[in-house]
Amino acid sequence: MSGLSRPFNLLRGAMKHQIIPKANISAKPPKHVLSFGEQAIALGTMFVTILGPSGWILSHLEDYKKGPGAAAEST
């Protein structure tokens, strides 16, 4: 365990002097206020984009369990 203390001390010394940039956080009101319609369209698009493929996979789960050739035979 004593063999690891020197590398840790070197790492600790290197980490002390790093310059970390300050974040640009502003408490001002937005420059462009989104209307209710724009918010609804954005939320709907995100909903379809994220949950659409998941719903497709879950609704066709039994087809995926049967195997690759079973879907072609059943149609």
Side-chain angles (χ1 to χ4, degrees), residues 3-4 6 9-11 14 18 20 27 30 33 36 40 44 48 50 53 58 60 65 68-69 75:
L4 294 177
R6 184 167 182 202
N9 287 338
L10 290 173
L11 286 174
Q18 284 187 348
I20 300 173
V33 179
F36 178 74
V48 169
I50 294 170
L58 288 174
H60 290 87
K65 285 181 181 179
T75 56

Side-chain angles (χ1 to χ4, degrees), residues 28-33:
K28 297 176 184 176
K31 293 179 182 177
H32 175 68
V33 179

Side-chain angles (χ1 to χ4, degrees), residues 35-63:
S35 68
F36 178 74
E38 290 172 328
Q39 291 178 8
I41 290 171
L43 186 63
T45 302
M46 289 177 60
F47 177 81
V48 169
T49 302
I50 294 170
L51 295 179
S54 303
W56 176 268
I57 291 171
L58 288 174
S59 66
H60 290 87
L61 196 58
E62 293 299 323
D63 297 336

